[in-house]
Amino acid sequence: MPNLHNQDVCPKLTWWQQPIAALDLDSQAAAVARQATLTKPAGALGQLETLAVQLAAMQGRAQPTLDRPWISVFAADHGITQAGVSAYPSAVTAQMVSNFVHGGAAINVLARQINASFEIIDVGVATDTGQMTSVIQAKTAQGTANFKQQSAMSMTACEYALQAGRSAVQRAIAAHADCWIGGEMGIGNTSSATAMACVLLGQAATQLTGAGTGLAAAAIGHKAQVIQAALDYHAVSGDQPLRVLCTFGGFEIAALCGGYLAAAQAGLPILVDGFISTAAALVAVRLQPACRDWMIFSHQSAEQGHYRVLEALQAQPVLSLGMRLGEGSGAATAFPLLQLACVLHNQMATFAQAQVSQQHDQT
């Protein structure tokens, strides 16, 4: 395992700067045209219509399908937990990795239900998970540094974690996956995501700090104070997204960011999960704006800052169920709706087929 906390070298991160795949606008137009012929009033299926058209553009065919979802859950610990920002101890990260391995977590249940391929990747858990043979080992370090006192990670460590996300996407593509879901597990990671979002959106910590793992009001106030003190200490500019990621991020957040960039480069549809994942997506979009085209946002979580990050990404989430679990659970919950969007788009009869009269021209 490399010891990367204190390296100051800024490597040339070349792979993520490669071009993003282009959407197929002809297939998008064909899907829009098909929607206009289906036996329903225009727009009557709401966002289900939009999703079908989005997926058509992503897949390069007028009638898209989704059958092979791939879920990668990245796990890592956070030094900021030393400042008392979480309701749970850091030991829970490794304990939850064990729960994933044994199939007992919410994301395991959801993955089985949607018939998804599932993997768990250790990118920075503070304890050794090597004895868990099904855990993919891509450990950058044993948790990030405490960003209240120093940058969470070096540029070199960030590169290593970004590559872990890219590798996960490469495994998904090799298995012919047609949708990639990135999940995360890391006690303290709502603090990292909040600090990143504050800088990138130009907001104070009090505006974005939420309950995370279930903090009471007084504890949320303490968490906001810790985050604001770190923001003031580092004074990082929002126009330096990679520096923001290094200063406040987690290894699992960096891996998600790398995964989003790699998936967009490969033309693999991305279903983004909740607050942590959306913060990683925001960094990816700030690094490569075109990767936004490949993202579908699964839900708006109960975490206070999530809607602001969604708003900044001009995202319309599929669901709003008050979820705040992480793990990729919101994305896996939304996945069947994407499948339904495709089935409706592909299998509904047209007006001509059903011999149903179309709407009168209102011009």
Side-chain angles (χ1 to χ4, degrees):
M1 179 186 71
N3 181 8
L4 302 175
H5 273 320
N6 298 317
Q7 297 183 29
D8 296 322
V9 177
C10 180
K12 293 182 179 180
L13 302 181
T14 56
W15 71 262
W16 58 261
Q17 295 172 323
Q18 297 302 310
I20 300 298
L23 296 177
D24 188 326
L25 299 184
D26 289 339
S27 294
Q28 177 178 292
V32 170
R34 176 171 174 78
Q35 280 289 327
T37 70
L38 300 180
T39 48
K40 60 178 176 56
L45 289 175
Q47 198 174 351
L48 292 172
E49 298 181 17
T50 306
L51 290 168
V53 171
Q54 277 185 276
L55 288 164
M58 291 175 177
Q59 294 188 352
R61 50 184 173 179
Q63 294 183 248
T65 59
L66 282 179
D67 301 304
R68 299 180 303 277
W70 183 284
I71 301 173
S72 302
V73 177
F74 302 95
D77 278 302
H78 292 253
I80 193 62
T81 57
Q82 298 165 10
V85 294
S86 176
Y88 289 85
S90 290
V92 170
T93 302
Q95 291 165 2
M96 281 302 300
V97 170
S98 178
N99 193 23
F100 295 143
V101 168
H102 291 94
I107 191 59
N108 298 109
V109 176
L110 290 163
R112 290 192 292 267
Q113 183 65 27
I114 65 173
N115 197 30
S117 298
F118 177 83
E119 63 178 12
I120 173 73
I121 306 102
D122 179 351
V123 288
V125 179
T127 56
D128 181 20
T129 62
Q131 75 281 6
M132 303 180 196
T133 55
S134 61
V135 176
I136 296 171
Q137 296 297 316
K139 198 188 292 283
T140 307
Q142 291 178 312
T144 53
N146 183 350
F147 68 69
K148 185 179 179 183
Q149 301 168 343
Q150 65 185 93
S151 290
M153 67 185 85
S154 68
M155 280 288 184
T156 304
C158 185
E159 179 185 34
Y160 197 87
L162 286 165
Q163 178 60 45
R166 183 192 189 195
S167 296
V169 166
Q170 290 171 335
R171 289 190 294 272
I173 292 170
H176 306 290
D178 55 19
C179 179
W180 189 68
I181 294 171
E184 41 65 38
M185 178 61 218
I187 297 300
N189 63 10
T190 59
S191 294
S192 284
T194 300
M196 289 167 49
C198 284
V199 178
L200 294 171
L201 303 183
Q203 297 284 332
T206 52
Q207 298 299 309
L208 301 185
T209 304
T213 49
L215 295 173
I220 294 173
H222 168 73
K223 179 179 173 181
Q225 290 175 352
V226 169
I227 293 170
Q228 188 62 53
L231 297 174
D232 295 340
Y233 174 74
H234 290 287
V236 178
S237 172
D239 62 2
Q240 297 179 296
L242 196 59
R243 180 62 65 183
V244 172
L245 179 59
C246 291
T247 304
F248 301 107
F251 296 130
E252 81 281 36
I253 297 173
L256 285 168
C257 180
Y260 295 146
L261 290 164
Q265 287 172 336
L268 178 63
I270 301 161
L271 187 53
V272 180
D273 191 40
F275 179 52
I276 312 300
S277 299
T278 308
L282 180 61
V283 174
V285 171
R286 293 291 177 89
L287 290 171
Q288 281 264 47
C291 75
R292 172 64 182 84
D293 290 341
W294 293 92
M295 296 175 178
I296 295 172
F297 292 83
S298 61
H299 75 119
Q300 180 178 317
S301 80
E303 189 63 21
Q304 179 170 319
H306 192 201
Y307 85 94
R308 292 180 182 267
V309 184
L310 289 168
E311 187 176 57
L313 288 163
Q314 297 182 312
Q316 183 180 5
V318 177
L319 299 171
S320 181
L321 298 176
M323 298 175 72
R324 53 178 177 84
L325 178 60
E327 303 177 4
S329 58
T333 298
F335 182 79
L337 286 175
L338 272 63
Q339 290 182 306
L340 285 173
C342 293
V343 170
L344 286 164
H345 177 80
N346 296 339
Q347 297 183 15
M348 280 185 68
T350 65
F351 285 105
Q353 289 169 335
Q355 298 183 341
V356 173
S357 298
Q358 290 186 259
Q359 177 179 307
H360 294 299
D361 186 353
Q362 300 182 46
T363 59

